[in-house]
Amino acid sequence: FGEDFSAGVVYTSERAHHSVEKAALIAGIASNRVRMIPTDTSLRLDCDALAHALDEDKAAGLRPMLLVATAGTTDTGAIDPLEECARLARQSDCWFHVDAAYGGFFQMTERGRDLLRGIELADSITVDAHKSLFLPFGIGGLIVRDTQALIAAHEGHGSYMQDVASDSLPQYYAMGPELTRPNRGLQMWLPLHVRGVDAFPLTSTACSTSRTPLLRR
């Protein structure tokens, strides 16, 4: 899309967290370019309705830009059909994002991996350790398949920026809106290392030694 996304359209479930629409508005996407797709009888995003909306917009000369599926809605815990959403996103050449703030860490359990099948197909995923891991507020995270996409969107330069490039660490200021930020990840890393995985109710009885990555090509 480059800098002109005036014809771009965002799709998400009518039961998605309100932060999805808020983020779109902050990014400059007009409210009439955000489609709230109805849900089925299981309160999951209705993929037939989604496919219809995609076709209608393309026929009208608009371009599907972003599909946001939810892995655990805040009100009911419903998980959208992630594999089918990924397929429709690929067909329409749009970014596939999964809001897994509530349910993403259940990927650490056998049952969770089964329920979240398809999350590994996402282009990006949000997780929030404050929710299912019961850790402090403010340590939500974004997992992205292609870090260059973040850099293209956020990198900036200035004569006053004299940071020395590191071969081992990326320039984090170039991967998000914050130029300077605290080490929020320490709040998650420390209890895991001090108390271990078994201290968390989420994983104490259901965690296996196998691990399925959140993102997979």
Side-chain angles (χ1 to χ4, degrees):
F1 276 86
E3 295 184 359
D4 181 12
F5 49 82
S6 57
V9 185
V10 175
Y11 306 83
T12 193
S13 161
E14 63 184 2
R15 304 194 75 89
H17 195 275
H18 71 90
S19 60
V20 175
E21 184 176 19
K22 181 177 180 179
L25 295 176
I26 291 173
I29 300 168
S31 58
N32 64 355
R33 292 286 189 268
V34 180
R35 304 283 184 260
M36 296 296 182
I37 306 300
T39 54
D40 59 20
T41 56
S42 297
L43 303 180
R44 308 192 313 160
L45 186 148
D46 187 328
C47 284
D48 288 337
L50 172 61
H52 180 70
L54 289 165
D55 290 341
E56 272 197 335
D57 284 334
K58 285 184 278 190
L62 300 176
R63 289 185 59 191
M65 177 171 61
L66 170 66
L67 168 58
V68 180
T70 303
T73 56
T74 302
D75 52 358
T76 68
I79 299 171
D80 290 335
L82 303 178
E83 289 180 311
E84 180 65 8
C85 286
R87 184 184 68 82
L88 290 171
R90 284 196 301 269
Q91 285 183 348
S92 297
D93 192 27
C94 65
W95 188 277
F96 179 43
H97 176 75
V98 175
D99 176 6
Y102 176 72
F105 286 107
F106 287 98
Q107 183 82 348
M108 298 169 66
T109 72
E110 293 180 2
R111 183 183 179 194
R113 285 193 293 276
D114 183 58
L115 292 171
L116 295 171
R117 188 177 296 111
I119 194 172
E120 72 279 1
L121 303 173
D123 294 301
S124 57
I125 301 168
T126 48
V127 292
D128 190 350
H130 140 66
K131 298 181 183 296
S132 48
L133 294 186
F134 307 102
L135 291 175
F137 288 106
I139 53 174
L142 176 68
I143 303 170
V144 179
R145 184 184 302 282
D146 181 9
T147 56
Q148 291 304 311
L150 286 183
I151 294 172
H154 296 287
E155 188 175 30
H157 301 279
S159 59
Y160 51 85
M161 299 171 71
Q162 302 298 321
D163 299 90
V164 178
S166 169
D167 293 332
S168 59
L169 292 175
Q171 296 285 6
Y172 292 109
Y173 76 86
M175 294 185 177
E178 294 177 291
L179 294 181
T180 306
R181 62 184 182 183
N183 185 2
R184 298 186 182 96
L186 181 64
Q187 299 176 73
M188 180 175 176
W189 177 88
L190 188 60
L192 284 171
H193 279 262
V194 171
R195 304 297 299 176
V197 172
D198 289 341
F200 293 86
L202 169 67
T203 61
S204 60
T205 59
C207 196
S208 73
T209 55
S210 62
R211 290 289 181 269
T212 301
L214 286 176
L215 290 175
R216 181 186 69 197
R217 290 200 180 277

